[in-house]
């Protein structure tokens, strides 16, 4: 008898082998699928910044409104990282000195722009406009999480298309009925509408 | 029903002189020997030459595709007026080739056509390789195959975002993948008994290679033991599969034809496309089967099993489908004229008189005129003639697709958007390369797998036929 | 996906994306700041620690880095696997520059002497889009060339600093050299000459005046490559005023053009196009336009009646009309002349119509011939058009070239008399009729200084090159038409170490105050007093700067315009006795191409790839011959022929041009540049040298060579298809005003859910003149790549909007129609159902949207598009050495619009109705707490269109202009019968054949 062949035969014919093989394949497939689905998703990304700026202290403890520093978010597609001059608005007057504040003042004195690290990155084929959302009354925390409690900013949301659409689907009520239109004309206030068209974000 | 009735009548008539699908009434053991020879012996010079050429073409394909994907679709002659040309022409051509196999193995099986036995195996193999070639083109014609997964419906994080089920391209994906799967299963299933035979023939060989081949055959033959129960179930399974495969033969090319039929372009937007494409597919399929089998029986010394009778039968099918195709051409022109649609009329006049008219006339020559040569029995039984004709059929069918695709696109609605297509070296390289892939696969197949269904062919030898007749007579007597 | 495209731009850190850009611009918020450097913000009382003026330039330079960093970073980084991406904010905040927000500033176009008023979009410190200034009373919209000038700003071929004898030096060195030379020249009274193109800037002319005072031996010679000096001379003789009149086509009911392409290139096309369109409204007044011309020009293609005439017969045409008008006016002794070019009945009718509309008719001639111009003047004055449609009291300063002076200068130079020669905005070594004569002369000049922005044919032969700013980098002003002033302000600090010509002229006069200060003082002293709207200068200045244009009452001391006293008789006899041409010879007709004009823009790839409005040929010029002549000589398209005049000859491929006069051969000037840059180098053949003597006896020989012309349209007849619908004025007037309601065909597809708006376009084919400004505007707005000659030949041009042009009627004198064709945004789009991945769908607002990152490139949509408006990226056109145009260099990519994704290989693209502008407008409405109003959104093509042929708007708003157009009785939709339900409606082309 041909041992190798026989062994092989036994192995192939054995039920246990089949069960194990099927299970292994199944699990492997699931794992691979999950991994693939996370490609390009950087949820939880929290890089160390050149100056360890604590949002907790500013937005949380001292209750500085988000839009005081990120004023561009009102008018621009970019929320904008505040110019050092904005920081200095307060920090020229405040005595408190820490190593990090020193870094800031140093940068200002040397006229050296600060190279912050961007935390929330969207693909370049997505057009996201901050002002559109801010003016429509979307709270910053809705996407950025409770930044006022973060010492180091972290990407809370997955920033996937599906995630965007969840919210957009909620708010996609368009004033189609005449009554709504009339109301809109009377108040002269457009009802903010979350677009579901591709071109709401892709162009 | 009626068809099967006819066949029984036929057998009834031929009771005295049973049709001999195997020449020279060899012993069963001899049959096995003959068919197993290519697998066990060394291949002849003919095989090596063919394989050398085919493999070179395959390598060329590899190079071409790499270059294409590295630099972009621009290396082809396509342009903004003619968005599809060689790529989709080749795709439809190969899908068409892929039709004969399942037709022979499934439909002819249901119709109890005994002559299919010695050709169905290789025809099925051909089907599978052809569909592989076909599948290549949709993948590379986008230029970025790595994005192809968008076309599959699977839960995703984009909303989720599904493919557009209204698009014929999505239907294609399903139709062709199904077709490939079924054909593959059918082919493999049919081979199991013969694989077992090969396994058993190798029992007392001890060479290292033989050991490897033995274990391979052992695995592939799934422990086939040839018991009566096994055989009984086997018969049922193959019948069921045949039932499943039959509608596919018709569906696949119908759906491929809808890539064009559902569009608005004059020359594409036609309701006759599905039947006309299926007929064309079978036509080209049989053309290719003829080509291959003629080569094989010459190079592999299998004249005894692939007889002139077989060729004759296939020639008849070819002629029939050829005439169906001709009718398709005619009705296209007729409906264009009869509809009075301005753009349709212009298109068909342009097809026959425009800059690509020569393609059209070549197509007519090959697909409309050529088949009529086969009215003559002499022609149907002359191997050389059949070989030439089968080649012409393939050329004709390739040009049919080219005419449909390119000629329709190059002069569509707005004259400002008119433009010519000129193929580049890469276009031609890929075309040739696809044949390389196809023939390489096929040559490897006839070298390493039993290319004729041993167990089936044994059922149509004179001996077997006699037994059948005897049984039938007894049955009649008992009935009386 | 677009990763390979845009990401490559964005993946760069701010630094390396800048190193090659040279000295980056200063940010400025106001005139003052540009002068004094950025001042700390108001919200920052004490000023920044260590923010001393000495550091200003450094400081602002870093700001620029910061800005760039921010923009590039924010432009996205999907493709870069490593997510590390920097955001570098401004160090000192600004209340005007908000990252991602565009500002618009008014300025004046420097593309040609027409000096149109512009509005320029500045985004994150970079001018990226040019628009027409609606505040202007003269202009509106732009021309293709004007649109493209923004790309010239980012031209890598521009010099990075001054050169002395070919060596880079610092400005002081040059200044020293020049001052010495001038002193020397002044001492021994050797002539100093400024040779310039037409200068419309009153302040610069003032400076030149100062030079005259300072250096008695100084002289200013104005030279235009394509000049109207004959007309100036004729006007001097006829009306005692050597000026170019200001024409008023909008006041004319009967227009006759003699070889004057006033809608395409002649004098002030944008202005004239606007007037012309306003005088041709089927619903209102509709003028009649007759054009006599040899080649097929844009203007001719719009004429109601176009008569092909050999160049040598233009005089005869003028005479024929003069004779007839004379009869009406009671002048009988107009000599007889041949009238072989047209049957006399037609001429009678034309003359009759002219006379019927005397006082509101207009005859213009672009023929560079004194006697013809005299005859035309006689015609206009006998018809009483002077002061009505021909305004000499407020003349145009847009062409001041003086050929005689130029010829004399060249002679002087060759005699070695000229000591110092300043060259500004001229390139005689390329475009003078006798280039080698000029270059020989140039060698005899003691000191030659060119202000050219690059090494060109002339400047490379000069001793020094003092590169001028691009007009988007410099201050300036212009007076295109008398007392119509416009201001120019910098949109970006100089990219390179260049200096404005005016600045140089001031510096060398010893005035160090700088150009800006001078400009302000000039306006304070000369323009401000002439107006009485604004009491104080500051507010006047700010208002002018903001509007860009000022119209002031005319100077009281304007020289009077005498009545016509020209000696038309001698002119007439001169025409009659003109030496005839041999009948076996042909006549050359030269014209400026709409894209390249006189060749100064040759290195602009957008313009090189702009299809000629008539022939649709790109990347090169050709000899246009009539099909009849071609058949006679056995020529076919692309055959290279050699054209021989007495002295010169050139080799050029042939193009078969229906409507071309069979004895004439038209050749475009402006091609065949030898030294201009990689895009324009040796594209086409230079025809200027052939202008040196009479071009009526030209021989044509086949060379046997053939080249393939890169044309974007190859079939010019409609094959009887209902694509462009035409009608005559009479018919339209007779038709009932009720629009035949285009009943939508039944459809199996469900109606798409409609949102608040339904965007659509209305395109008036009567207004469209085919100038192709929209094509370049779209290219600039939507980051459309240049693909090059080879790809155009392969039918792969990428323009989202194309202007289709069809001929109707006989081959020897066809009528022609232009049709802007872009995505029709079908309600039931054929492209949509076939896309396997939903990459193209109809939005809730009726836009057929193309999603680049979803597209997998099956091209099925393009095949199924009946309009063939979809464009496929066959290659990567960005950062690809094979396509070495603006998208292949960081400098060139600065022109890209950050709001529009750069498409990568294997992606389908097409017009999306400038959806980025729609979204922006919505955002602004939201910021302004108001709803969108009609006219808030203008697509790029609409904004650029000088004739307002394209109207964008909301079809749901019944009062919007576009909705009205869609209800017009002329309204129809292309290929409607396919059931595509387009959102783009066309208005029938109307011709006025009733008059004659």
């Amino acid at each position: 008898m041909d041992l190798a062949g026989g062994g092989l035969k036994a192995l192939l014919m054995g039920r246990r082998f089949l069960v194990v093989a099927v299970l292994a394949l199944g699990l492997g497939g699931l794992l691979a699928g999950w991994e693939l689905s996370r490609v390009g998703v950087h949820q939880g990304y929290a890089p160390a910044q050149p100056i360890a700026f604590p949002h907790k202290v500013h937005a949380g403890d001292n209750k500085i409104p988000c839009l005081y520093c990120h004023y561009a978010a009102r008018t621009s597609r970019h929320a904008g990282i505040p110019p050092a001059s904005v920081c200095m608005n307060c920090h020229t007057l405040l005595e408190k000195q820490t190593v990090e504040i020193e870094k800031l003042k140093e940068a200002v004195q040397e006229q050296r722009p600060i190279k912050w690290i961007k935390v929330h990155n969207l693909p370049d084929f997505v057009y996201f406009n901050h002002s559109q959302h801010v003016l429509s009354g979307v709270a910053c925390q809705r996407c950025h999480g409770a930044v006022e409690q973060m010492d180091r900013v972290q990407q809370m949301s997955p920033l996937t298309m599906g995630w965007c659409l969840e919210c957009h689907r909620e708010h996609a009520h368009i004033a189609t009925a005449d009554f709504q239109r009339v109301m809109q004309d009377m108040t002269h206030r457009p009802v903010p509408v979350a677009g579901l068209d591709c071109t709401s974000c892709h162009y | 029903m009626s068809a099967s009735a006819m066949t029984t009548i036929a057998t009834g008539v031929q009771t005295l002189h049973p049709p001999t699908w195997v020449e020279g009434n060899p012993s069963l053991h001899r049959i096995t020997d003959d068919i197993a020879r290519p697998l066990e012996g060394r291949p002849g010079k003919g095989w090596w030459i063919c394989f050398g050429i085919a493999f070179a073409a395959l390598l060329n394909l590899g190079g071409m595709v790499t270059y294409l994907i590295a630099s972009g679709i621009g290396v082809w002659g396509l342009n903004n007026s003619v968005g599809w040309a060689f790529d989709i022409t080749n795709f439809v051509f190969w899908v068409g080739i892929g039709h004969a196999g399942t037709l022979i193995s499934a439909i002819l099986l249901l119709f109890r056509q005994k002559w299919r036995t010695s050709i169905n195996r290789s025809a099925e193999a051909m089907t599978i390789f052809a569909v592989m070639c076909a599948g290549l083109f949709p993948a590379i014609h986008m230029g970025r195959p790595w994005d192809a997964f968008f076309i599959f419906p699977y839960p995703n994080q984009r909303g989720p975002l599904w493919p557009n089920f209204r698009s014929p391209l999505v239907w294609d994906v399903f139709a062709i993948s199904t077709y490939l799967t079924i054909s593959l299963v059918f082919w493999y299933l049919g081979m199991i008994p013969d694989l077992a035979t090969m396994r058993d023939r190798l029992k007392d060989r001890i060479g290292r290679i033989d050991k490897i081949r033995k274990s391979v055959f052992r695995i592939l033959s799934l422990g086939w033991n040839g018991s009566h129960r096994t055989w009984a179930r086997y018969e049922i399974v193959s019948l069921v599969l045949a039932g499943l495969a039959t509608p596919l033969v018709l569906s696949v090319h119908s759906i491929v034809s809808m890539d064009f039929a559902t569009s608005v372009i004059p020359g594409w937007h036609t309701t006759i496309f599905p039947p006309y494409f299926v007929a064309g597919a079978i036509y080209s399929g049989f053309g290719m089967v003829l080509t291959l089998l003629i080569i094989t029986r010459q190079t592999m010394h299998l004249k005894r099993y692939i007889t002139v009778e077989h060729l004759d039968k296939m020639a008849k099918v070819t002629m029939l489908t050829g005439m169906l195709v001709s009718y398709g051409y005619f009705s296209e022109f007729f409906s264009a004229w009869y509809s009075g649609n301005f753009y349709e009329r212009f298109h068909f006049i342009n097809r026959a008189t425009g800059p690509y008219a020569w393609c059209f006339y070549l197509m007519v020559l090959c697909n409309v005129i050529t088949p009529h040569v086969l009215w003559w029995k002499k022609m149907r039984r002359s191997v050389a003639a059949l070989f030439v004709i089968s080649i012409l059929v393939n050329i004709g069918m390739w040009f049919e697709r080219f005419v449909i695709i390119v000629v329709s696109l190059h002069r569509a609605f707005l004259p400002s958007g008119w433009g010519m297509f000129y193929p580049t070296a890469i276009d031609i390289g890929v075309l040739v390369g696809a044949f390389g892939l196809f023939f390489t696969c096929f040559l490897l197949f006839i070298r390493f797998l039993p290319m004729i269904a041993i167990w089936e062919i044994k059922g149509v030898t004179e001996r077997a036929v006699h037994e059948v007749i005897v049984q039938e007579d007894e049955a009649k007597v008992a009935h009386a | 996906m677009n990763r390979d495209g845009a990401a490559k731009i964005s993946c760069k850190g701010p630094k390396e994306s800048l190193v090659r850009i040279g000295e980056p611009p200063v940010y400025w918020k106001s005139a003052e700041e540009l002068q004094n450097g950025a001042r700390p913000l108001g919200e920052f009382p004490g000023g920044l620690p260590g923010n001393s003026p000495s550091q200003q330039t450094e400081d602002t330079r870093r700001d620029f880095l910061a800005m760039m960093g921010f923009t590039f970073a924010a432009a996205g980084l999907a493709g870069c696997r490593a997510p590390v991406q920097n955001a570098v904010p401004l160090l000192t905040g600004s209340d005007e520059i908000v990252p991602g927000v565009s500002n618009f500033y008014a300025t004046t176009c420097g593309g040609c002497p027409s000096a149109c008023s512009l509005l320029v979009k500045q985004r994150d410190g970079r001018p990226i889009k040019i628009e027409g200034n609606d505040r202007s009373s003269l202009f509106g919209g732009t021309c293709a060339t004007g649109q493209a000038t923004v790309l010239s700003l980012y031209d890598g071929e521009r010099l990075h600093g001054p050169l002395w004898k070919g060596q880079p030096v610092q400005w002081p060195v040059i200044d020293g050299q020049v001052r010495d030379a001038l002193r020397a020249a002044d001492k021994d009274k050797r002539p100093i000459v400024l040779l310039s193109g037409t200068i419309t800037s009153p302040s610069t002319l003032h400076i030149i005046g100062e030079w005259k005072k300072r250096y008695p031996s100084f002289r200013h010679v104005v030279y235009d490559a394509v000049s109207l000096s004959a007309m100036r001379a004729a006007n001097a003789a006829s009306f005692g005023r050597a000026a170019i009149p200001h024409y008023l086509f909008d006041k004319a009911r009967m227009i006759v053009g003699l070889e004057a392409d006033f809608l395409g290139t002649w004098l002030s096309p944008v202005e004239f196009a606007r007037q012309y369109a306003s005088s041709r409204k089927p619903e209102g007044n509709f003028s009649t336009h007759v054009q006599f011309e040899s080649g097929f020009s844009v203007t001719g293609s719009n004429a109601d009646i176009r008569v092909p005439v050999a160049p040598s017969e233009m005089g005869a045409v003028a005479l024929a009309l003069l004779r007839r008008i004379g009869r009406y006016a009671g002048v009988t002794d107009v000599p007889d002349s041949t009238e072989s070019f047209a049957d006399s009945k037609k001429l009678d009718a034309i003359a009759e119509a002219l006379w019927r509309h005397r006082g509101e008719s207009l005859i213009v001639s672009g023929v560079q011939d004194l006697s013809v111009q005299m005859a035309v003047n006689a015609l206009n004055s006998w018809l009483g058009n002077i002061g009505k449609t021909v305004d000499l009291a407020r003349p145009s300063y847009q062409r001041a070239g003086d050929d005689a002076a130029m010829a004399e200068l060249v002679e002087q130079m060759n005699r070695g008399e000229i000591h110092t020669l300043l060259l500004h905005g001229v390139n005689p070594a390329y475009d003078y009729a006798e280039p080698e004569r000029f270059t020989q002369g140039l060698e005899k000049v003691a000191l030659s200084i060119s202000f050219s922005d690059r090494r060109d044919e002339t400047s490379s032969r000069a001793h020094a090159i003092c590169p001028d700013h691009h007009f988007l980098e410099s201050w300036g002003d212009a007076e295109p038409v008398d007392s119509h002033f416009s201001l120019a302000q910098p949109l970006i600090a100089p990219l390179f170490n260049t200096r404005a010509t005016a600045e140089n002229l001031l510096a060398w006069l010893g005035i160090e105050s700088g150009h800006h200060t001078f400009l302000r003082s000039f306006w304070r002293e000369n323009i401000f007093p002439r107006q009485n709207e604004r009491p104080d200068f500051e507010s006047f200045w700010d208002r002018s700067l903001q509007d860009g244009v000022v119209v002031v009452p005319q100077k009281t001391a304007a020289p009077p315009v005498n009545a016509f006293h020209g000696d038309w008789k001698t002119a007439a006899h001169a025409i009659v006795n003109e030496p005839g041409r041999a009948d076996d010879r042909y006549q050359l007709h030269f014209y400026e191409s709409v894209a390249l004009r006189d060749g100064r823009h040759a290195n602009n790839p957008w313009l090189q790839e702009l299809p000629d409005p008539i022939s649709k040929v790109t990347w090169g010029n050709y000899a246009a011959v009539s099909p009849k002549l071609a058949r006679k000589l056995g020529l076919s398209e692309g055959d290279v022929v050699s054209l021989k005049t007495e002295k010169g000859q050139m080799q050029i491929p042939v193009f078969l041009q229906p409507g071309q006069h069979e004895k004439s051969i038209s050749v475009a000037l402006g091609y065949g540049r030898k030294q201009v840059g990689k895009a324009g180098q040796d594209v086409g053949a230079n025809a200027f040298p052939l202008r040196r003597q009479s071009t009526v006896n030209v021989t044509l020989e086949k060379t046997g060579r053939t080249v393939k012309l890169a044309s974007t349209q190859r079939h010019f007849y409609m094959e009887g298809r209902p694509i462009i619908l035409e009608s005559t004025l009479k018919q339209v007037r007779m038709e009932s005003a009720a629009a035949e309601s285009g009943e939508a065909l039944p459809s199996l597809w469900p109606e798409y859910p409609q949102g608040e708006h339904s965007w659509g376009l209305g395109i008036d084919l009567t207004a469209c003149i085919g100038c192709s400004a929209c094509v370049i505007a779209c290219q600039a707005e939507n980051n459309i790549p240049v693909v090059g000659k080879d790809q155009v030949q392969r039918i792969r041009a990428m323009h989202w909007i194309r202007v289709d042009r069809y001929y109707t009627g006989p081959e020897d004198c066809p009528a022609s129609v232009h049709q802007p064709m872009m995505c029709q945004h079908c309600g039931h789009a054929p492209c949509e159902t076939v896309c396997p991945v939903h990459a193209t769908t109809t939005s809730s607002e009726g836009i057929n949207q193309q999603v680049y990152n979803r597209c997998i490139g099956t091209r099925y949509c393009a095949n199924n598009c009946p309009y063939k408006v979809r464009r496929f990226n066959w290659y990567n056109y960005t950062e690809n050495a094979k396509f070495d145009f603006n998208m292949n260099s960081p400098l060139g990519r600065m022109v890209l619009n950050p709001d529009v994704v750069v498409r990568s290989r294997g992606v389908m693209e097409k017009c999306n109705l400038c959806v980025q502008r729609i979204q922006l407008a919505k955002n602004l409405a939201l910021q302004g707490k108001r709803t969108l109003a009609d006219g808030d959104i203008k697509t790029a093509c609409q904004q650029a269109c000088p004739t307002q042929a394209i109207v964008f708007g909301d079809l749901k708003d019944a009062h919007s202009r576009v909705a009205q157009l869609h209800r017009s009785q002329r309204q129809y939709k292309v290929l409607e019968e396919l059931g595509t339900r387009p959102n783009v409606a066309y208005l029938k082309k109307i011709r006025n054949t009733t008059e004659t």
Side-chain angles (χ1 to χ4, degrees), chain C residues 658-686:
Chain C
Q660 179 80 24
H661 185 274
E662 62 178 298
K663 275 292 176 191
S664 73
I665 301 163
S666 294
V667 180
L669 302 163
Y671 287 87
R673 289 288 301 268
K674 289 289 169 224
Q675 268 180 300
V676 67
K678 41 185 186 220
Q681 200 86 3
D682 297 318
V683 177
N686 181 6

Side-chain angles (χ1 to χ4, degrees), chain B residues 67-85 87-88 141-152 156 158 161-170 258-265 268 342-343 346-347 405 409 411-422 424, chain C residues 1-2 4 708 712-723 749-750 752 791 794-798 802 804-806 819 821 830 832-838 852-860 862-868 870-876 880 882 904-908 974-975 977-978:
Chain B
Y67 177 59
L68 177 83
I69 287 172
S71 41
I73 295 299
V75 299
W76 278 342
L78 300 169
N79 57 49
N80 286 333
S81 301
V82 182
W84 287 347
D87 45 2
I88 302 302
H141 96 295
M142 306 186 302
R144 294 173 304 147
W146 51 87
D147 274 343
F149 69 94
F150 275 178
I151 221 169
F152 298 106
N156 56 58
R158 291 178 217 96
L161 201 54
W162 301 103
N164 177 7
F165 291 106
R166 293 184 299 173
S167 166
L169 288 187
V170 175
M258 287 175 196
D259 290 350
F260 310 104
T262 58
S263 80
V264 298
I265 304 301
W268 285 11
F342 178 89
Y343 300 103
F346 175 89
H347 167 71
I405 292 169
L409 287 175
R411 285 186 177 175
F413 291 98
L414 294 194
S416 60
W418 289 4
M420 295 288 290
F421 164 83
Y422 301 106
T424 64
Chain C
M1 219 356 285
N2 297 306
D4 2 14
K708 201 163 169 237
T712 58
Q713 187 180 344
R714 288 146 302 278
H715 194 86
F716 293 138
Y717 291 91
M718 264 180 280
E719 301 294 336
R721 302 178 176 195
I723 295 162
W749 293 116
Y752 285 97
Q791 292 296 304
R794 295 169 184 270
I795 321 175
R796 293 171 181 176
M798 292 300 280
R802 60 174 201 259
D804 289 347
R805 214 262 305 90
Y806 298 103
Q819 181 179 45
M821 179 54 67
E832 203 166 306
T833 52
V834 297
C835 174
V837 292
H838 280 310
Y852 312 121
N853 48 309
R854 179 67 174 172
C855 175
I856 56 174
T858 64
R859 302 186 297 288
Y860 200 172
N863 291 341
N864 207 26
C865 173
Y867 308 95
K868 284 274 178 275
R870 292 177 155 267
R871 299 286 174 257
F872 189 68
N873 287 272
W874 301 98
Y875 293 101
N876 255 337
N880 182 346
K882 273 204 231 129
S904 70
R905 192 186 107 199
V907 176
M908 192 60 72
V974 178
L975 298 178
E977 62 273 26
L978 299 178

Side-chain angles (χ1 to χ4, degrees), chain C residues 878-894:
Chain C
T878 316
E879 288 209 326
N880 182 346
K882 273 204 231 129
F883 302 96
D884 192 7
F885 307 108
N886 62 308
M887 293 257 237
N888 192 37
S889 76
L891 180 61
R893 281 196 300 273
M894 284 176 78

Side-chain angles (χ1 to χ4, degrees), chain B residues 73-244:
Chain B
I73 295 299
V75 299
W76 278 342
L78 300 169
N79 57 49
N80 286 333
S81 301
V82 182
W84 287 347
F86 272 37
D87 45 2
I88 302 302
T89 304
N90 295 340
F91 163 67
V92 181
F93 173 76
W94 284 113
V95 175
I97 298 294
H99 266 60
T102 323
L103 180 96
I104 292 166
S105 47
I107 296 183
L108 296 190
L109 171 70
L110 293 183
F111 289 171
R112 302 229 184 295
Q113 289 298 307
K114 297 219 162 41
W115 60 274
R116 56 176 271 285
T117 49
S118 56
I119 60 168
N120 65 341
R121 173 77 45 80
S122 41
E124 284 166 39
M126 179 196 80
T127 295
I128 286 147
F129 304 144
V131 174
M132 278 163 53
C133 293
L136 172 75
F137 287 96
I140 61 169
H141 96 295
M142 306 186 302
R144 294 173 304 147
W146 51 87
D147 274 343
F149 69 94
F150 275 178
I151 221 169
F152 298 106
Y154 68 98
N156 56 58
Q157 300 203 335
R158 291 178 217 96
L161 201 54
W162 301 103
N164 177 7
F165 291 106
R166 293 184 299 173
S167 166
L169 288 187
V170 175
W171 310 341
D172 275 349
V173 172
F174 296 121
I176 290 170
S177 50
T178 319
Y179 186 63
L180 181 61
T181 325
I182 294 286
S183 318
L184 209 54
V185 172
F186 205 61
W187 179 58
Y188 175 56
L189 197 81
M191 257 191 312
I192 290 176
D194 294 352
L195 292 168
T197 316
M198 297 312 301
R199 173 196 63 194
D200 302 341
R201 284 175 62 87
L202 287 165
K203 193 167 279 143
D204 37 20
R205 300 282 202 86
I206 44 165
R208 183 189 279 105
I209 295 115
D210 290 326
K211 274 226 182 83
I212 297 165
R213 293 173 60 208
K214 211 186 302 180
S215 44
V216 170
F217 281 126
R218 182 178 289 111
I219 294 166
L220 290 180
S221 56
L222 302 176
W224 173 274
N225 56 11
S227 73
H228 269 281
R229 261 169 76 243
T230 325
W231 272 113
R233 288 183 182 157
Y234 182 78
E235 292 287 353
I236 294 163
V237 173
S238 24
L239 268 180
V240 172
L241 272 177
L244 286 175

Side-chain angles (χ1 to χ4, degrees), chain C residues 153-168:
Chain C
L153 169 65
Y154 304 111
D155 183 346
E157 304 290 335
R158 289 176 59 200
L159 287 171
H160 291 213
L163 300 181
W164 176 259
K165 300 223 158 85
Q167 295 311 314

Side-chain angles (χ1 to χ4, degrees), chain B residues 313-334:
Chain B
K313 287 268 185 192
M314 286 191 274
K316 283 175 179 160
V317 179
T318 314
M319 183 168 71
L320 171 72
T321 47
M323 286 188 285
L324 288 177
V325 171
S326 315
Y327 173 75
Y329 297 163
F330 165 75
S331 73
E332 267 189 319
F333 273 84
F334 174 78

